[in-house]
Amino acid sequence: MSEPQRSTSTRGLHNDTFLFTSESVGEGHPDKICDQVSDAVLDACLEQDRFSKVACESATKTGMIMVFGEISTNARIDYQTVIRNCIKRIGYDDSSKGFDYKTCNVLVALEEQCSEIAQAVHEGKKEEDIGAGDQGLMFGYATDETEELMPLTVVLAHGMNRRLAELRRSGELPWARPDSKTQVTVEYRIINGRTIPIRVHTVVISIQHSPDVTNEQIKKDLQEKVIKKVIPNEYLDEHTIYHLQPSGRFIIGGPQSDAGLTGRKIIVDSYGGWGAHGGGCFSGKDCTKVDRSGAYAARWIAKSLVAAKLCYRVLIQVSYAIGIAEPVSIHIDTYGTGTKPDDELLKIVVRNFDLRPGIIIRDLNLREPWFQKTACYGHFGRSEFPWEQPKALEMH
């Protein structure tokens, strides 16, 4: 009797290692279109009125996109132009691609923010007394396994999607269209709580393409121009598995193939499944909403602790009650990697970080209109954002 075929889910796996997977989606993915449109509306409000209160959702399907929610602002916004320009920048500029910024139907259903929320959160309050825009819990995570202090799985997945967009825009991949998904599985070993990447186990890429290119050409281009340019050779070996265009043809993409909604890619936006997530999305929300500002502050804390070599890996949780400035709770878990006990590190956190929403907004400059940049390729691990600049910590 022949031996049973070994499952690819364990191929190349050592006895003391495990597999972990993260994914990323490109700018033209329907959910990511909605995230970018929601943040484009937020930026347009902030450009004219830095104190705009925005909670903007988006939904898209074939030939249409709708924005809806609550906005209180002194800005005068041409929503049609803002939304169409965002879709144009993404690359949906012709009906042959399944979506066209020029001809799509744009629906707007926006109202003023509820006066009861405004009264509870910010009306008549000083900056330091601004309350949380809602209750909730947020997490920040950092690990020393990459230069960005982010998980390798999500860094590589975002890196491949970013590379796909660069090659599409430069014309080097003339067949490429905006909708894409990537996924990376890495084999890890944990040593005293520290995550050590060993090798890339599996790479998955799916990208929308024009009808005149062969699957063989797509796979060749993905291997030579994307994977080999993004994933360091030291992580690839003869056992690495590649699933390139595993569904076959992918001509119909974007909103024509799937409906999209703001906030459906919260794991892509954060740590790729590592750490934890409180459930609230980021895009379309001004930073009185602690789903956004609290999560940014938690990442700032986590990265600062790892950068200061106080731990190799850490998870931070913060929580809030609506209308209350001070956080309800702060939790820290270094997975046993800390140079000091977690309770001592918590004291360092409290000493160095003021987690009232108004102070977070001030310290991280969160009234500036640059949120659309955050809406694709992850909100963390990118040096252009203030929360990615580690804070010099006072230890005593």
Side-chain angles (χ1 to χ4, degrees), residues 80 104 111 140 217 254 306 352:
Q80 291 275 338
C104 67
E111 300 177 2
Q217 184 64 49
V306 175
N352 284 272

Side-chain angles (χ1 to χ4, degrees), residues 66-341:
M66 176 171 65
V67 296
F68 54 102
E70 300 79 43
I71 296 179
S72 295
T73 182
N74 292 319
R76 297 177 62 86
I77 306 299
D78 181 349
Y79 291 107
Q80 291 275 338
T81 298
V82 169
I83 294 163
R84 292 184 192 279
N85 284 345
C86 180
I87 297 168
K88 178 183 179 181
R89 190 198 62 79
I90 290 168
Y92 280 119
D93 53 9
D94 192 276
S95 59
S96 65
K97 298 178 182 179
F99 205 58
D100 185 351
Y101 77 95
K102 300 183 295 294
T103 59
C104 67
N105 189 21
V106 176
L107 306 176
V108 179
L110 294 167
E111 300 177 2
E112 289 278 318
Q113 182 188 55
C114 171
S115 60
E116 292 174 338
I117 294 176
Q119 181 273 328
V121 173
H122 61 86
E123 281 188 352
K125 294 184 178 182
K126 298 178 182 178
E127 181 178 55
E128 61 269 23
D129 296 325
I130 293 174
D134 200 352
Q135 70 177 49
L137 52 141
M138 306 87 216
F139 290 91
Y141 181 77
T143 169
D144 75 338
E145 65 196 72
T146 62
E147 180 182 345
E148 298 88 347
L149 303 185
M150 286 285 286
L152 180 65
T153 48
V154 76
V155 167
L156 296 180
H158 285 319
M160 289 193 296
N161 258 324
R162 189 179 291 108
R163 176 72 175 165
L164 287 169
E166 291 170 355
L167 295 174
R168 171 171 60 87
R169 290 194 167 101
S170 72
E172 196 169 342
L173 291 183
W175 50 262
R177 289 181 171 175
D179 194 356
S180 62
K181 299 185 78 172
T182 62
Q183 184 173 284
V184 177
T185 301
V186 169
E187 183 178 351
Y188 280 91
R189 179 176 287 115
I190 290 186
I191 300 177
N192 297 324
R194 189 179 185 184
T195 48
I196 310 296
I198 307 302
R199 54 184 290 274
V200 169
H201 177 277
T202 303
V203 178
V204 183
I205 304 179
S206 297
I207 180 168
Q208 183 188 10
H209 58 83
S210 61
D212 56 354
V213 65
T214 65
N215 282 14
E216 291 71 24
Q217 184 64 49
I218 293 173
K219 292 179 180 180
K220 179 182 177 182
D221 286 346
L222 294 179
Q223 188 72 250
E224 297 298 321
K225 297 181 180 181
V226 179
I227 295 171
K228 289 185 177 179
K229 298 296 184 180
V230 172
I231 301 180
N233 190 56
E234 66 196 79
Y235 290 121
L236 301 173
D237 60 31
E238 68 273 16
H239 298 296
T240 300
I241 300 164
Y242 301 94
H243 295 303
L244 309 181
Q245 297 297 92
S247 67
R249 306 297 279 169
F250 185 5
I251 298 170
I252 301 171
Q256 187 179 7
S257 63
D258 287 296
L261 291 169
T262 300
R264 276 208 305 211
K265 289 293 175 283
I266 58 176
I267 299 303
V268 169
D269 285 343
S270 52
Y271 306 102
W274 292 92
H277 201 293
C281 80
F282 307 143
S283 290
K285 298 175 180 178
D286 77 88
C287 281
T288 62
K289 282 70 170 174
V290 285
D291 278 341
R292 189 165 214 161
S293 54
Y296 291 172
R299 165 62 178 172
W300 191 30
I301 295 168
K303 187 169 185 179
S304 297
L305 291 172
V306 175
K309 301 191 183 304
L310 292 171
C311 53
Y312 293 114
R313 181 178 170 224
V314 66
L315 180 69
I316 302 292
Q317 186 203 54
V318 295
S319 67
Y320 292 89
I322 187 169
I324 307 301
E326 292 286 350
V328 171
S329 65
I330 309 171
H331 172 73
I332 180 170
D333 183 359
T334 62
Y335 305 92
T337 70
T339 60
K340 302 175 184 291

